[in-house]
Structures are given as C-alpha cells and as structure tokens.
Amino acid sequence: MDAGGNNFDSGQQPQEQELATKMLQIQSKRFYLDVKQNRRGRFIKVAEIDDRTGYVRIGADGRRSQIFLAMSTAAEFRDHLSSFSDFYSSLGPPNPDNVPDDGKLKSEMMLKDNRRYYLDLKENSRGRFLRVSQTITRGGPRSQIALPAQGMIEFRDALTDLLDDFGTDDGGFKGELPEGRHLRVDNKNFYFDIGQNNRGIYMKVSEKVKSNFRTAITVPEKCWTRFRDILADYCDKMCRAHQQNAENHQGGPIPGGSGVRGGPSQPAPSSSDIDTFSCNVPNRI
C-alpha cells in the first residue's frame, strides 16, 4: 500500500508479514481482520471466509468478499461504523412499504489515494446490512463485504483494538517529494511529475499530444536507477556512433581527436559539453 501503498490486492507482496489477526462470527458470517505489513507500510485485510472451503468467499458475481484498508482508512471506517450504528439504532422495525427503490438507507464514501470505498446501509428481504465496496479509480477488480447491521458495533470494537495496538500511521515515505519538471524538444513537450499513492512513489513521464490529452508512462521509484542507467547507456552508445559517423564523413578523426591533419590538437569535449538527451557534440571547428 495499494497503505504505505502497494497493491494490496495481489496478496503476493515481497516480505509481507502478518502482525495480528482477529476472527469475528456475526450471525452466519465469519470475518477475519488481519494486520499486515510490507515494504510499503501497514494495512488491514478484512475478509469473509467461506466455511465450506476455508478460503475467501466469492460471490455469485465473481467478486471476492474482501477489502484492504490503510491504517488511517481503517480509523476513518471505524468512525463511520459508530455513525452508521447510531443511525441503525434510530430506525424502527423493517417496513417493506417504506424502503427506497435501491434499498439504501444511508451512504458515505471514503477516499484514499486511488481507492474509493462506498459504505451503504441497505435493506432487503433478508434484513439490514452494511455493504462496503472497494474500487480503484482507473479500473481494476471491485471487491466488497456485506456486514450484518447487528454486528457493526462488534466489528467497530475489533477494529479499535487493532488500531490501539498498531496505530493509525500507514508507514511509507513521509518526506517532501521533488517538484515536477518540463522539457521542450522541438515541438514536443515532456513532463516529469513525482507522485505517491498506495503503491509507493512513482514518476509519471507524459507527453502533451493535444491541448487536453497526454500520453504517459509510470515508473516506480524502485527502478529509477536502472531506468537511468539504461538511458545513460543509450546516450553513450549514440554519442560514440555520432563521433564515428563524423570521422567516417571527414576521412579521419574529428577535430579534437589525436592525429588530426592540418591543425593543432584540441581537447576532446568533456561530459559537460554533451547534451545527455540529444547527445550532440559541440562543433569546435
């Protein structure tokens, strides 16, 4: 972290540790609340377990009954549970004639980086329940849990215990990120922006194609050094290729090289004289 970032959903984070777990039996549903930690920070995985298989329950629509909460988001969720529980307590007995068409009695939304969480207290023929849906703003799998309304207080208390033990700090990078940069080459404009989300720190390199449209790539911080080394290697190779091409064109070493006929020897261009993006060598003739 999808907390300090990363993508919680993969379940395959390197060196992931499980720090604590709680099990809740609410009516016929069994939930596990697991505090986990990886290099991106701490988070809580909430999953409903299928008693028949012992694995996370998968609904008829193919969605997994699980959500992932950064520690700070879990604290916000805990507070919402108190509000939803108070509202639920104020409701009278279920009345089929007084239920909204979509079944929603109360709704809230939480936002964390690129994740949205929708909290909906609903009512249907089987009773009242809190549905918590987790989505990613730019697409990706949607997951959700359905918590019986009678269990909201018990669920809130379990979250509170975990937050008391492990705090509400997501972990991850807390410093100030570098400012964005702009590069113009001929009629092209490139933008370098540093950001952070639940997966960690990244660099977005974008090219402005139209007034309201950019194409972009995202480079995770962990591979910036390798990315730089590859670019530097290509720059070095193209510089040597341009020098060789100039020598072949002039019939001998370019001015500044050794053994030049018809003029004194000049020092070779230093690295500061070479544009590392275009690899242009200044003309010393």
Side-chain angles (χ1 to χ4, degrees):
M1 248 184 105
D2 306 338
N6 51 65
N7 183 3
F8 296 152
D9 298 347
S10 69
Q12 297 179 350
Q13 298 299 331
Q15 299 179 347
E16 186 174 275
Q17 296 176 290
E18 184 171 302
L19 306 179
T21 187
K22 277 185 176 291
M23 191 275 287
L24 295 177
Q25 185 73 41
I26 302 175
Q27 295 184 347
S28 61
K29 291 176 174 282
R30 182 158 57 104
F31 297 93
Y32 278 87
L33 285 69
D34 301 319
V35 180
K36 294 176 177 285
Q37 176 175 291
N38 57 32
R39 62 182 178 84
R40 299 182 180 102
R42 289 179 178 174
F43 60 95
I44 296 179
K45 173 184 176 183
V46 180
E48 180 185 348
I49 302 301
D50 189 326
D51 289 328
R52 295 172 301 175
T53 65
Y55 294 101
V56 176
R57 192 178 73 84
I58 299 178
D61 56 1
R63 295 176 183 172
R64 297 172 67 85
S65 296
Q66 64 182 19
I67 59 173
F68 297 83
L69 303 164
M71 303 303 286
S72 59
T73 309
E76 183 180 354
F77 180 40
R78 183 263 317 273
D79 296 339
H80 279 305
L81 284 173
S82 295
S83 175
F84 273 84
S85 180
D86 291 342
F87 178 81
Y88 168 69
S89 299
S90 69
L91 298 175
N95 184 357
D97 299 327
N98 193 31
V99 178
D101 293 337
D102 59 2
K104 293 182 181 179
L105 304 173
K106 177 178 171 63
S107 296
E108 294 287 350
M109 191 269 286
M110 302 186 301
L111 179 63
K112 173 67 175 179
D113 297 324
N114 67 335
R115 295 177 184 271
R116 293 180 184 269
Y117 300 85
Y118 298 93
L119 284 60
D120 299 304
L121 182 63
K122 304 190 69 174
E123 181 177 324
N124 59 22
S125 59
R126 290 175 290 180
R128 292 167 177 164
F129 60 95
L130 179 65
R131 185 181 67 186
V132 184
S133 302
Q134 172 190 315
T135 64
I136 299 176
T137 54
R138 295 187 178 181
R142 182 186 181 111
S143 57
Q144 64 184 33
I145 60 171
L147 177 66
Q150 296 92 329
M152 287 190 291
I153 290 296
E154 184 179 357
F155 199 96
R156 181 203 64 186
D157 292 344
L159 268 182
T160 299
D161 289 343
L162 293 174
L163 293 170
D164 286 345
D165 289 340
F166 296 97
T168 60
D169 186 358
D170 300 332
F173 181 77
K174 292 293 186 297
E176 183 176 351
L177 297 176
E179 294 183 358
R181 301 284 296 273
H182 168 238
L183 171 68
R184 181 175 178 84
V185 181
D186 297 328
N187 64 339
K188 290 181 175 290
N189 287 281
F190 297 96
Y191 299 87
F192 301 81
D193 299 297
I194 309 301
Q196 182 177 14
N197 59 21
N198 59 332
R199 297 179 180 177
I201 298 172
Y202 62 89
M203 176 190 297
K204 183 172 74 173
V205 184
S206 57
E207 177 187 355
K208 189 173 182 180
V209 179
K210 297 180 181 178
S211 59
N212 59 348
F213 179 74
R214 294 184 186 183
T215 59
I217 62 170
T218 300
V219 185
E221 182 196 16
K222 63 182 179 182
C223 65
W224 286 0
T225 301
R226 179 59 180 153
F227 198 85
R228 177 202 62 193
D229 291 345
I230 291 174
L231 280 176
D233 183 57
Y234 278 121
C235 287
D236 290 343
K237 289 179 179 178
M238 289 307 301
C239 286
R240 290 195 294 270
H242 285 306
Q243 289 177 335
Q244 183 64 47
N245 184 61
E247 291 177 2
N248 293 339
H249 180 72
Q250 296 179 8
I254 63 173
S258 59
V260 179
R261 293 170 294 175
S265 176
Q266 299 182 23
S270 68
S271 59
S272 61
D273 295 325
I274 300 175
D275 184 334
T276 55
F277 277 95
S278 64
C279 290
N280 293 326
V281 180
N283 188 349
R284 294 184 178 273
I285 299 176

